[in-house]
Amino acid sequence: MNTLFCLLALAVIAQSAVLVDKQDKSAAARNNINIGGIYPGDRLLSRSYVYKPAVANTIQFENFVYREYRGDTRTRISAIYVTQQGYYKQCSSTWIRSGGLGYPDVTISFQSLRGYGYYYMIDIWGR
């Protein structure tokens, strides 16, 4: 009886592990930022990439800073798209630390889980 119970418990655990793995492959498991909108008259102010390879037992952190340097202080950000690139299981976080929509600058923070890296494409639109 104990052997049958153990086999049944292992089957349930194995099935749940497969279901979790299937969920990680979806686009919803990615940590992207999509705020604002692109409208007629907007232009791509910046397209940049941030990349940190995985390092064993290390949490990696980086701030990406965009400032409008063209001398036109009237330029304002209307959309920010931060899209995870590459392998789906990066396990990283991203958030806007300061600035953003309606400002001429933005600071975006990136942080990996211990032992993982990250790779993002950053598009900043404005007028």
Side-chain angles (χ1 to χ4, degrees):
M1 184 68 178
N2 285 340
T3 306
L4 180 61
F5 179 76
C6 289
L7 288 175
L8 183 60
L10 287 174
V12 169
I13 291 170
Q15 182 63 27
S16 66
V18 171
L19 291 176
V20 170
D21 190 34
K22 286 181 183 177
Q23 291 173 352
D24 286 344
K25 291 181 182 178
S26 70
R30 295 176 179 255
N31 190 359
N32 297 330
I33 296 176
N34 296 311
I35 61 171
I38 303 169
Y39 301 102
D42 287 355
R43 59 189 164 93
L44 183 62
L45 300 174
S46 172
R47 172 170 282 169
S48 302
Y49 295 87
V50 293
Y51 172 73
K52 292 276 186 179
V55 177
N57 204 28
T58 303
I59 296 174
Q60 301 183 73
F61 182 83
E62 178 178 356
N63 282 330
F64 170 83
V65 178
Y66 170 79
R67 288 190 181 94
E68 182 61 42
Y69 286 117
R70 295 186 185 115
D72 186 6
T73 58
R74 296 174 298 159
T75 300
R76 298 289 182 239
I77 295 172
S78 61
I80 300 170
Y81 298 115
V82 180
T83 310
Q84 185 177 347
Q85 305 292 304
Y87 185 60
Y88 66 90
K89 231 179 187 179
Q90 295 180 18
C91 302
S92 55
S93 297
T94 181
W95 64 93
I96 295 177
R97 183 172 293 274
S98 66
L101 298 182
Y103 291 91
D105 56 55
V106 65
T107 301
I108 304 170
S109 297
F110 300 89
Q111 182 176 345
S112 71
L113 281 181
R114 185 177 307 278
Y116 286 86
Y118 53 82
Y119 181 32
Y120 284 92
M121 178 179 70
I122 305 164
D123 284 344
I124 299 175
W125 291 81
R127 62 174 77 155

